[in-house]
Amino acid sequence: MSVKHSIAAVLRQVLLGKTNLPQQCTVGIHDPQTEVSVWLHGIGAPRDVTFEHSIACAAPFTICVGGGEWPLNRVTGKRLALKFRERDGEKRLLAELGLRHTGTILTNGPGLRLFQIHGCKNYCLPKGRLWAHYLHQSYLRWRHKNTSHIRISSRAAHAMIVSFICPRPVVLVSVVSGDRSNIFPMNLLGMVSEGHFAFALDSTRLAAPLVAGAGSVALSSIPIEQSEVARQLGKNHKKESVPWNQIPFPTRPSTALSLPVPCFALRVIELHIETIRNLGSHTFFVARVIRDERRGEGRQFSMIHGVYQVWRLTHRHDAAVPAAGIPVHRAV
Ligand SMILES: Cc1cc2nc3c(=O)[nH]c(=O)nc-3n(C[C@H](O)[C@H](O)[C@H](O)COP(=O)(O)O)c2cc1C
Protein backbone atom coordinates (compact mmCIF):
# COMPACT_ATOMS: atom_id res chain seq x y z
CA MET A 1 0.00 0.00 0.00
CA SER A 2 1.40 3.45 -0.92
CA VAL A 3 1.99 6.10 1.78
CA LYS A 4 -0.93 8.12 0.33
CA HIS A 5 -3.29 5.13 0.66
CA SER A 6 -2.07 4.33 4.18
CA ILE A 7 -2.77 7.90 5.31
CA ALA A 8 -6.26 7.75 3.70
CA ALA A 9 -6.95 4.44 5.49
CA VAL A 10 -5.90 5.89 8.87
CA LEU A 11 -8.04 9.02 8.35
CA ARG A 12 -11.00 6.84 7.36
CA GLN A 13 -10.54 4.77 10.53
CA VAL A 14 -10.40 7.91 12.71
CA LEU A 15 -13.48 9.39 10.99
CA LEU A 16 -15.65 6.26 10.97
CA GLY A 17 -14.34 4.42 14.06
CA LYS A 18 -16.22 1.20 14.73
CA THR A 19 -18.57 1.91 11.82
CA ASN A 20 -15.71 1.61 9.29
CA LEU A 21 -17.22 -1.09 7.05
CA PRO A 22 -17.16 -1.35 3.24
CA GLN A 23 -19.86 0.73 1.55
CA GLN A 24 -21.27 -2.33 -0.18
CA CYS A 25 -21.40 -5.45 1.98
CA THR A 26 -22.10 -8.96 0.76
CA VAL A 27 -24.63 -10.93 2.80
CA GLY A 28 -26.31 -14.30 2.31
CA ILE A 29 -30.09 -14.01 2.80
CA HIS A 30 -32.96 -16.38 2.14
CA ASP A 31 -35.29 -15.36 -0.70
CA PRO A 32 -37.56 -13.46 -0.17
CA GLN A 33 -35.74 -11.35 2.41
CA THR A 34 -37.78 -10.86 5.58
CA GLU A 35 -35.73 -8.37 7.58
CA VAL A 36 -36.67 -4.98 6.10
CA SER A 37 -40.01 -3.67 4.83
CA VAL A 38 -40.53 -0.63 2.62
CA TRP A 39 -43.74 1.38 2.99
CA LEU A 40 -45.26 3.96 0.71
CA HIS A 41 -46.86 6.84 2.65
CA GLY A 42 -48.94 9.75 1.41
CA ILE A 43 -51.48 8.04 -0.86
CA GLY A 44 -54.34 6.70 1.23
CA ALA A 45 -53.30 4.20 3.91
CA PRO A 46 -49.58 3.31 4.03
CA ARG A 47 -48.87 0.41 1.67
CA ASP A 48 -46.17 -2.26 1.89
CA VAL A 49 -44.20 -1.94 -1.37
CA THR A 50 -41.20 -4.07 -0.34
CA PHE A 51 -41.73 -6.29 -3.38
CA GLU A 52 -43.24 -3.60 -5.57
CA HIS A 53 -40.35 -1.18 -6.07
CA SER A 54 -37.00 -0.93 -7.79
CA ILE A 55 -34.12 1.52 -8.13
CA ALA A 56 -34.56 2.94 -11.64
CA CYS A 57 -31.62 5.33 -12.08
CA ALA A 58 -28.64 6.67 -10.11
CA ALA A 59 -28.43 10.16 -11.67
CA PRO A 60 -30.97 11.61 -11.30
CA PHE A 61 -31.74 9.20 -8.49
CA THR A 62 -35.08 7.64 -9.39
CA ILE A 63 -37.20 4.95 -7.78
CA CYS A 64 -40.01 3.05 -9.48
CA VAL A 65 -43.03 1.96 -7.43
CA GLY A 66 -45.74 -0.32 -8.76
CA GLY A 67 -48.62 -2.23 -7.31
CA GLY A 68 -51.92 -0.57 -6.38
CA GLU A 69 -54.29 1.47 -8.52
CA TRP A 70 -53.47 5.13 -7.96
CA PRO A 71 -55.37 7.99 -9.55
CA LEU A 72 -52.74 10.28 -11.12
CA ASN A 73 -53.90 13.37 -9.22
CA ARG A 74 -53.11 11.57 -5.95
CA VAL A 75 -49.51 10.80 -6.84
CA THR A 76 -48.46 14.37 -6.20
CA GLY A 77 -48.20 16.03 -2.80
CA LYS A 78 -45.48 16.90 -0.36
CA ARG A 79 -46.08 14.06 2.06
CA LEU A 80 -45.23 11.25 -0.33
CA ALA A 81 -42.47 9.15 1.21
CA LEU A 82 -40.91 5.69 1.26
CA LYS A 83 -40.22 4.47 4.80
CA PHE A 84 -37.75 1.67 5.51
CA ARG A 85 -38.56 -0.35 8.64
CA GLU A 86 -37.34 -3.32 10.55
CA ARG A 87 -39.91 -5.97 9.55
CA ASP A 88 -40.12 -7.85 12.84
CA GLY A 89 -39.57 -6.99 16.49
CA GLU A 90 -40.04 -3.32 17.33
CA LYS A 91 -40.50 -2.42 13.64
CA ARG A 92 -38.07 0.44 14.14
CA LEU A 93 -37.98 3.15 11.48
CA LEU A 94 -34.58 2.94 9.76
CA ALA A 95 -34.84 5.66 7.11
CA GLU A 96 -37.17 7.67 4.89
CA LEU A 97 -37.04 9.16 1.40
CA GLY A 98 -39.27 12.10 0.39
CA LEU A 99 -40.67 11.45 -3.11
CA ARG A 100 -41.55 13.69 -6.07
CA HIS A 101 -43.56 12.10 -8.88
CA THR A 102 -41.78 12.47 -12.23
CA GLY A 103 -43.36 9.97 -14.58
CA THR A 104 -45.57 6.98 -15.26
CA ILE A 105 -44.93 3.77 -17.18
CA LEU A 106 -48.01 1.92 -18.40
CA THR A 107 -48.09 -1.87 -18.35
CA ASN A 108 -50.96 -4.25 -19.10
CA GLY A 109 -51.51 -4.22 -15.30
CA PRO A 110 -51.43 -1.22 -12.93
CA GLY A 111 -49.22 1.71 -13.99
CA LEU A 112 -45.72 2.09 -12.57
CA ARG A 113 -44.77 5.43 -11.02
CA LEU A 114 -41.35 7.03 -11.19
CA PHE A 115 -40.17 9.27 -8.34
CA GLN A 116 -37.15 11.43 -7.72
CA ILE A 117 -36.07 12.29 -4.18
CA HIS A 118 -36.64 15.59 -2.38
CA GLY A 119 -35.42 14.59 1.07
CA CYS A 120 -33.60 11.82 2.85
CA LYS A 121 -33.38 10.82 6.53
CA ASN A 122 -31.33 7.91 7.82
CA TYR A 123 -31.67 6.73 11.43
CA CYS A 124 -29.27 3.76 11.31
CA LEU A 125 -26.43 5.69 12.95
CA PRO A 126 -26.19 8.59 15.41
CA LYS A 127 -26.16 11.90 13.50
CA GLY A 128 -22.44 12.60 14.04
CA ARG A 129 -21.34 9.22 12.67
CA LEU A 130 -23.77 9.45 9.77
CA TRP A 131 -22.32 12.81 8.75
CA ALA A 132 -18.84 11.31 9.04
CA HIS A 133 -19.95 8.72 6.47
CA TYR A 134 -21.44 11.45 4.26
CA LEU A 135 -18.16 13.38 4.49
CA HIS A 136 -16.15 10.30 3.58
CA GLN A 137 -18.48 9.58 0.65
CA SER A 138 -18.10 13.19 -0.62
CA TYR A 139 -14.33 12.74 -0.46
CA LEU A 140 -14.57 9.52 -2.53
CA ARG A 141 -16.78 11.21 -5.11
CA TRP A 142 -14.30 14.09 -5.35
CA ARG A 143 -11.33 11.69 -5.63
CA HIS A 144 -13.01 9.71 -8.44
CA LYS A 145 -14.43 12.77 -10.24
CA ASN A 146 -12.14 12.32 -13.24
CA THR A 147 -12.39 8.53 -13.48
CA SER A 148 -16.06 7.92 -12.70
CA HIS A 149 -18.39 8.56 -15.65
CA ILE A 150 -21.46 8.99 -13.43
CA ARG A 151 -21.72 12.21 -11.41
CA ILE A 152 -24.16 11.82 -8.57
CA SER A 153 -25.34 14.54 -6.20
CA SER A 154 -24.91 14.28 -2.41
CA ARG A 155 -28.67 13.76 -2.08
CA ALA A 156 -28.58 10.89 -4.59
CA ALA A 157 -25.63 9.33 -2.76
CA HIS A 158 -27.51 9.55 0.57
CA ALA A 159 -30.64 8.10 -1.06
CA MET A 160 -28.60 5.21 -2.47
CA ILE A 161 -27.41 4.38 1.08
CA VAL A 162 -31.05 4.28 2.21
CA SER A 163 -32.09 2.12 -0.76
CA PHE A 164 -29.48 -0.45 0.19
CA ILE A 165 -30.95 -0.79 3.70
CA CYS A 166 -33.38 -3.12 1.97
CA PRO A 167 -31.22 -6.14 1.02
CA ARG A 168 -30.82 -6.20 -2.78
CA PRO A 169 -30.34 -9.65 -4.32
CA VAL A 170 -27.64 -9.93 -6.96
CA VAL A 171 -28.60 -11.94 -10.04
CA LEU A 172 -26.66 -13.09 -13.09
CA VAL A 173 -28.28 -11.87 -16.30
CA SER A 174 -28.06 -14.22 -19.32
CA VAL A 175 -28.66 -12.59 -22.68
CA VAL A 176 -28.33 -13.67 -26.33
CA SER A 177 -28.90 -11.39 -29.32
CA GLY A 178 -28.07 -12.90 -32.72
CA ASP A 179 -24.45 -14.02 -32.56
CA ARG A 180 -23.69 -11.93 -29.43
CA SER A 181 -24.17 -13.13 -25.87
CA ASN A 182 -23.25 -12.14 -22.33
CA ILE A 183 -23.70 -12.94 -18.66
CA PHE A 184 -23.17 -10.28 -15.99
CA PRO A 185 -24.23 -9.46 -12.38
CA MET A 186 -26.96 -6.95 -11.57
CA ASN A 187 -28.45 -5.63 -8.32
CA LEU A 188 -30.47 -2.60 -9.40
CA LEU A 189 -33.64 -4.60 -9.88
CA GLY A 190 -36.88 -5.57 -8.24
CA MET A 191 -40.33 -6.98 -8.72
CA VAL A 192 -42.59 -4.00 -9.39
CA SER A 193 -45.96 -5.68 -9.66
CA GLU A 194 -47.34 -9.16 -9.92
CA GLY A 195 -45.89 -10.48 -13.15
CA HIS A 196 -43.43 -7.63 -13.80
CA PHE A 197 -39.78 -7.11 -12.95
CA ALA A 198 -37.78 -3.96 -13.59
CA PHE A 199 -34.06 -3.30 -13.72
CA ALA A 200 -31.57 -0.50 -14.40
CA LEU A 201 -28.47 -0.75 -16.58
CA ASP A 202 -25.78 1.88 -16.96
CA SER A 203 -26.68 3.73 -20.19
CA THR A 204 -23.02 3.96 -21.26
CA ARG A 205 -22.12 0.27 -20.88
CA LEU A 206 -22.45 -2.28 -23.71
CA ALA A 207 -24.72 -4.53 -21.64
CA ALA A 208 -27.68 -2.10 -21.99
CA PRO A 209 -27.95 -2.08 -25.84
CA LEU A 210 -27.34 -5.83 -25.95
CA VAL A 211 -30.30 -6.45 -23.61
CA ALA A 212 -32.44 -3.94 -25.52
CA GLY A 213 -31.66 -5.72 -28.81
CA ALA A 214 -32.29 -9.18 -27.37
CA GLY A 215 -35.75 -8.33 -25.97
CA SER A 216 -35.57 -11.09 -23.36
CA VAL A 217 -33.28 -12.20 -20.52
CA ALA A 218 -32.97 -14.83 -17.81
CA LEU A 219 -32.13 -13.76 -14.24
CA SER A 220 -30.43 -16.36 -12.04
CA SER A 221 -30.23 -16.08 -8.24
CA ILE A 222 -26.79 -16.88 -6.90
CA PRO A 223 -25.96 -18.98 -3.83
CA ILE A 224 -23.80 -16.96 -1.42
CA GLU A 225 -20.97 -19.45 -1.93
CA GLN A 226 -20.73 -18.31 -5.58
CA SER A 227 -20.72 -14.56 -4.81
CA GLU A 228 -17.06 -14.06 -5.70
CA VAL A 229 -17.29 -15.72 -9.11
CA ALA A 230 -20.43 -13.70 -9.88
CA ARG A 231 -18.78 -10.44 -8.80
CA GLN A 232 -15.82 -11.14 -11.10
CA LEU A 233 -18.25 -11.00 -14.06
CA GLY A 234 -18.90 -7.27 -13.34
CA LYS A 235 -16.38 -6.46 -16.09
CA ASN A 236 -18.73 -8.10 -18.64
CA HIS A 237 -20.96 -4.97 -18.47
CA LYS A 238 -18.32 -3.36 -20.69
CA LYS A 239 -18.03 -6.22 -23.20
CA GLU A 240 -19.88 -6.46 -26.47
CA SER A 241 -20.06 -10.24 -26.31
CA VAL A 242 -18.72 -13.07 -24.14
CA PRO A 243 -18.45 -16.58 -25.62
CA TRP A 244 -20.21 -19.17 -23.42
CA ASN A 245 -17.13 -21.40 -23.38
CA GLN A 246 -15.33 -18.65 -21.42
CA ILE A 247 -17.83 -18.68 -18.52
CA PRO A 248 -16.12 -20.02 -15.37
CA PHE A 249 -18.96 -22.40 -14.35
CA PRO A 250 -21.24 -24.95 -16.05
CA THR A 251 -24.51 -23.73 -17.56
CA ARG A 252 -27.68 -25.35 -18.81
CA PRO A 253 -30.57 -24.03 -20.94
CA SER A 254 -33.38 -22.14 -19.20
CA THR A 255 -36.78 -23.79 -19.53
CA ALA A 256 -38.75 -21.30 -21.64
CA LEU A 257 -36.14 -19.34 -23.61
CA SER A 258 -33.25 -21.84 -23.67
CA LEU A 259 -30.83 -19.17 -22.45
CA PRO A 260 -27.70 -20.59 -20.79
CA VAL A 261 -28.06 -20.17 -17.00
CA PRO A 262 -25.66 -21.31 -14.26
CA CYS A 263 -26.30 -24.86 -13.01
CA PHE A 264 -25.91 -23.45 -9.46
CA ALA A 265 -28.87 -20.99 -9.87
CA LEU A 266 -31.30 -21.11 -6.93
CA ARG A 267 -34.08 -19.52 -8.98
CA VAL A 268 -34.38 -18.62 -12.67
CA ILE A 269 -36.74 -15.89 -13.83
CA GLU A 270 -37.24 -15.55 -17.58
CA LEU A 271 -38.44 -12.19 -18.82
CA HIS A 272 -39.76 -10.52 -21.98
CA ILE A 273 -38.86 -6.82 -22.06
CA GLU A 274 -41.89 -4.58 -22.62
CA THR A 275 -40.65 -1.03 -21.96
CA ILE A 276 -37.25 0.66 -22.15
CA ARG A 277 -36.69 4.22 -20.84
CA ASN A 278 -33.44 6.13 -20.78
CA LEU A 279 -33.68 8.01 -17.46
CA GLY A 280 -30.15 9.46 -17.38
CA SER A 281 -27.14 7.55 -16.06
CA HIS A 282 -29.24 4.38 -16.29
CA THR A 283 -31.64 2.86 -18.79
CA PHE A 284 -34.68 1.38 -17.11
CA PHE A 285 -36.19 -1.88 -18.38
CA VAL A 286 -39.66 -3.14 -17.43
CA ALA A 287 -40.24 -6.79 -18.27
CA ARG A 288 -43.00 -9.37 -18.02
CA VAL A 289 -42.30 -12.65 -16.26
CA ILE A 290 -42.79 -15.60 -18.59
CA ARG A 291 -41.43 -18.26 -16.25
CA ASP A 292 -40.28 -18.24 -12.62
CA GLU A 293 -38.64 -21.45 -11.50
CA ARG A 294 -37.14 -22.34 -8.11
CA ARG A 295 -34.27 -24.76 -8.50
CA GLY A 296 -32.66 -24.87 -5.06
CA GLU A 297 -32.70 -23.74 -1.46
CA GLY A 298 -30.06 -21.74 0.34
CA ARG A 299 -28.87 -18.27 1.19
CA GLN A 300 -28.77 -15.94 -1.77
CA PHE A 301 -25.99 -13.47 -2.65
CA SER A 302 -27.39 -10.05 -1.68
CA MET A 303 -25.94 -6.63 -0.99
CA ILE A 304 -26.60 -4.06 1.71
CA HIS A 305 -24.93 -0.76 2.54
CA GLY A 306 -22.23 -0.70 5.26
CA VAL A 307 -24.22 1.91 7.22
CA TYR A 308 -27.12 -0.55 7.55
CA GLN A 309 -24.72 -3.44 8.25
CA VAL A 310 -23.48 -1.48 11.31
CA TRP A 311 -27.08 -1.18 12.55
CA ARG A 312 -27.72 -4.84 11.75
CA LEU A 313 -24.68 -6.12 13.63
CA THR A 314 -25.78 -4.16 16.70
CA HIS A 315 -29.48 -5.03 16.60
CA ARG A 316 -29.91 -8.41 14.88
CA HIS A 317 -28.70 -11.63 16.43
CA ASP A 318 -28.66 -13.41 13.07
CA ALA A 319 -26.54 -10.77 11.31
CA ALA A 320 -23.44 -12.54 10.06
CA VAL A 321 -20.23 -10.65 9.46
CA PRO A 322 -20.12 -9.86 5.71
CA ALA A 323 -18.75 -12.77 3.68
CA ALA A 324 -16.54 -10.33 1.84
CA GLY A 325 -16.09 -6.59 1.85
CA ILE A 326 -16.93 -5.18 -1.53
CA PRO A 327 -15.40 -1.86 -2.49
CA VAL A 328 -17.76 0.92 -3.53
CA HIS A 329 -19.79 -0.17 -6.55
CA ARG A 330 -19.00 2.56 -9.06
CA ALA A 331 -22.41 2.72 -10.71
CA VAL A 332 -23.91 3.63 -7.37
C1 LIG B 1 -22.33 -7.33 -7.95
C2 LIG B 1 -22.47 -6.32 -9.06
C3 LIG B 1 -23.71 -5.79 -9.36
C4 LIG B 1 -23.85 -4.85 -10.40
N1 LIG B 1 -25.09 -4.36 -10.69
C5 LIG B 1 -25.22 -3.48 -11.71
C6 LIG B 1 -26.51 -3.00 -12.08
O1 LIG B 1 -27.53 -3.37 -11.48
N2 LIG B 1 -26.60 -2.13 -13.11
C7 LIG B 1 -25.48 -1.71 -13.80
O2 LIG B 1 -25.62 -0.93 -14.74
N3 LIG B 1 -24.25 -2.15 -13.48
C8 LIG B 1 -24.10 -3.03 -12.47
N4 LIG B 1 -22.86 -3.51 -12.16
C9 LIG B 1 -21.69 -3.09 -12.99
C10 LIG B 1 -20.79 -2.11 -12.26
O3 LIG B 1 -21.49 -0.98 -11.87
C11 LIG B 1 -19.61 -1.74 -13.16
O4 LIG B 1 -20.03 -1.02 -14.27
C12 LIG B 1 -18.87 -2.92 -13.67
O5 LIG B 1 -18.62 -3.81 -12.60
C13 LIG B 1 -17.54 -2.49 -14.31
O6 LIG B 1 -16.79 -1.88 -13.30
P1 LIG B 1 -15.39 -1.20 -13.53
O7 LIG B 1 -15.66 0.09 -14.22
O8 LIG B 1 -14.85 -1.02 -12.14
O9 LIG B 1 -14.57 -2.15 -14.35
C14 LIG B 1 -22.71 -4.46 -11.15
C15 LIG B 1 -21.45 -5.01 -10.84
C16 LIG B 1 -21.33 -5.93 -9.83
C17 LIG B 1 -19.97 -6.52 -9.54
Side-chain angles (χ1 to χ4, degrees):
M1 202 191 272
S2 70
V3 176
K4 215 164 102 186
H5 280 103
S6 307
I7 295 172
V10 171
L11 288 177
R12 180 183 163 132
Q13 183 57 41
V14 171
L15 192 65
L16 306 181
K18 278 195 277 187
T19 70
N20 186 5
L21 289 186
Q23 298 212 37
Q24 292 284 356
C25 295
T26 292
V27 285
I29 291 187
H30 285 278
D31 174 34
Q33 66 84 16
T34 52
E35 64 177 72
V36 174
S37 60
V38 182
W39 290 81
L40 179 71
H41 285 247
I43 306 171
R47 185 158 65 84
D48 185 344
V49 294
T50 314
F51 301 107
E52 290 179 336
H53 81 282
S54 173
I55 298 166
C57 187
F61 186 81
T62 309
I63 282 218
C64 173
V65 183
E69 303 279 355
W70 322 343
L72 197 57
N73 60 358
R74 297 190 61 196
V75 190
T76 51
K78 282 227 146 120
R79 287 176 24 256
L80 274 178
L82 275 188
K83 298 198 181 188
F84 293 70
R85 285 187 180 280
E86 184 186 15
R87 187 176 280 282
D88 304 321
E90 295 169 41
K91 299 190 171 23
R92 279 168 281 208
L93 182 60
L94 301 168
E96 40 193 315
L97 295 176
L99 303 179
R100 186 167 56 83
H101 182 243
T102 53
T104 298
I105 295 177
L106 298 176
T107 66
N108 54 11
L112 307 176
R113 309 295 183 188
L114 296 174
F115 298 96
Q116 289 179 19
I117 304 303
H118 71 70
C120 176
K121 290 181 186 157
N122 191 327
Y123 309 112
C124 290
L125 295 180
K127 268 198 177 131
R129 270 300 180 218
L130 184 66
W131 280 97
H133 277 267
Y134 288 170
L135 189 64
H136 178 248
Q137 225 188 24
S138 304
Y139 162 71
L140 290 179
R141 285 203 308 281
W142 170 79
R143 211 182 73 188
H144 295 299
K145 66 180 186 306
N146 295 327
T147 47
S148 174
H149 61 292
I150 298 177
R151 295 274 168 86
I152 69 168
S153 65
S154 304
R155 179 175 288 166
H158 302 171
M160 197 58 95
I161 297 179
V162 169
S163 304
F164 274 82
I165 286 174
C166 182
R168 305 278 164 194
V170 181
V171 296
L172 279 170
V173 183
S174 303
V175 54
V176 176
S177 176
D179 58 356
R180 289 175 304 147
S181 55
N182 205 341
I183 183 161
F184 52 83
M186 183 170 74
N187 62 4
L188 301 180
L189 80 152
M191 197 167 145
V192 282
S193 69
E194 207 172 321
H196 283 89
F197 260 78
F199 55 91
L201 287 174
D202 187 327
S203 305
T204 66
R205 302 287 197 222
L206 292 166
L210 181 65
V211 167
S216 51
V217 290
L219 312 182
S220 301
S221 304
I222 306 156
I224 184 69
E225 296 76 19
Q226 304 290 343
S227 60
E228 199 42 44
V229 73
R231 230 168 51 76
Q232 295 298 328
L233 300 184
K235 55 183 184 303
N236 289 358
H237 280 263
K238 296 171 165 174
K239 294 189 181 164
E240 198 161 8
S241 186
V242 176
W244 290 113
N245 60 11
Q246 283 180 20
I247 306 301
F249 42 76
T251 60
R252 64 182 189 190
S254 65
T255 308
L257 300 170
S258 292
L259 292 169
V261 294
C263 292
F264 59 62
L266 297 173
R267 179 180 177 190
V268 176
I269 302 169
E270 294 172 87
L271 301 170
H272 262 317
I273 292 159
E274 286 187 345
T275 305
I276 303 175
R277 287 264 181 101
N278 187 330
L279 297 179
S281 64
H282 286 70
T283 301
F284 189 53
F285 296 80
V286 179
R288 183 168 46 82
V289 177
I290 51 173
R291 193 171 174 97
D292 184 351
E293 205 172 283
R294 290 204 181 256
R295 295 186 168 189
E297 292 296 322
R299 291 183 311 136
Q300 178 183 344
F301 174 19
S302 307
M303 289 171 102
I304 55 173
H305 197 275
V307 163
Y308 171 59
Q309 177 68 344
V310 174
W311 186 93
R312 206 171 167 257
L313 290 171
T314 322
H315 295 89
R316 288 186 68 92
H317 306 302
D318 61 342
V321 174
I326 294 183
V328 66
H329 164 210
R330 291 235 186 96
V332 298

XYZ file of all heavy atoms in Angstrom, residues 36-40 45-52 87:
118
model
N -36.343 -6.404 6.250
C -36.673 -4.979 6.097
C -37.947 -4.858 5.268
O -38.129 -5.589 4.293
C -35.521 -4.230 5.375
C -35.897 -2.784 5.078
C -34.244 -4.268 6.218
N -38.837 -3.941 5.669
C -40.006 -3.673 4.834
C -39.944 -2.220 4.361
O -39.369 -1.357 5.037
C -41.310 -3.947 5.586
O -41.376 -3.124 6.718
N -40.524 -1.982 3.207
C -40.527 -0.635 2.617
C -41.983 -0.227 2.435
O -42.770 -0.971 1.821
C -39.782 -0.631 1.261
C -39.734 0.771 0.672
C -38.372 -1.194 1.400
N -42.336 0.933 2.992
C -43.741 1.376 2.985
C -43.889 2.675 2.221
O -43.077 3.582 2.380
C -44.223 1.578 4.428
C -44.375 0.271 5.156
C -43.374 -0.451 5.732
C -45.585 -0.472 5.351
N -43.887 -1.603 6.275
C -45.232 -1.643 6.064
C -46.914 -0.266 4.999
C -46.180 -2.599 6.424
C -47.855 -1.214 5.364
C -47.480 -2.370 6.070
N -44.945 2.720 1.420
C -45.261 3.961 0.707
C -46.278 4.730 1.539
O -47.350 4.204 1.869
C -45.843 3.641 -0.668
C -46.241 4.850 -1.488
C -45.015 5.629 -1.985
C -47.079 4.429 -2.696
N -53.967 4.869 2.781
C -53.303 4.200 3.907
C -51.898 3.776 3.472
O -51.697 3.460 2.300
C -54.115 2.972 4.309
N -50.918 3.772 4.409
C -49.576 3.308 4.033
C -49.642 1.921 3.420
O -50.437 1.085 3.838
C -48.835 3.277 5.378
C -49.568 4.236 6.247
C -51.005 4.176 5.820
N -48.824 1.684 2.406
C -48.867 0.414 1.672
C -47.480 -0.217 1.652
O -46.479 0.463 1.408
C -49.349 0.703 0.245
C -49.551 -0.537 -0.608
C -50.511 -0.249 -1.762
N -50.008 0.705 -2.724
C -49.199 0.386 -3.731
N -48.781 -0.844 -3.891
N -48.803 1.302 -4.588
N -47.435 -1.530 1.921
C -46.166 -2.259 1.893
C -45.742 -2.469 0.433
O -46.406 -3.199 -0.312
C -46.348 -3.614 2.609
C -45.041 -4.383 2.733
O -44.068 -4.035 2.031
O -44.999 -5.342 3.532
N -44.653 -1.812 0.031
C -44.201 -1.937 -1.366
C -42.832 -2.628 -1.432
O -42.085 -2.450 -2.403
C -44.152 -0.559 -2.087
C -45.543 0.018 -2.243
C -43.222 0.425 -1.382
N -42.517 -3.410 -0.382
C -41.201 -4.067 -0.338
C -40.917 -4.811 -1.638
O -39.810 -4.736 -2.176
C -41.148 -5.066 0.844
O -41.674 -4.428 1.990
C -39.732 -5.546 1.103
N -41.932 -5.506 -2.144
C -41.725 -6.286 -3.375
C -42.468 -5.651 -4.549
O -42.908 -6.326 -5.472
C -42.129 -7.744 -3.140
C -41.328 -8.352 -2.010
C -41.911 -8.591 -0.773
C -39.971 -8.607 -2.176
C -41.156 -9.111 0.277
C -39.213 -9.122 -1.124
C -39.801 -9.372 0.101
N -42.596 -4.324 -4.473
C -43.239 -3.596 -5.573
C -42.462 -2.327 -5.890
O -43.049 -1.294 -6.207
C -44.688 -3.248 -5.198
C -45.581 -4.486 -5.144
C -47.012 -4.173 -4.743
O -47.238 -3.136 -4.079
O -47.897 -4.960 -5.096
N -38.630 -5.284 9.793
C -39.908 -5.968 9.548
C -40.487 -6.585 10.814
O -41.687 -6.534 11.051
C -39.749 -7.045 8.472
C -41.078 -7.654 8.058
C -40.947 -8.634 6.931
N -40.853 -8.029 5.611
C -41.885 -7.549 4.930
N -43.099 -7.563 5.447
N -41.726 -7.027 3.738
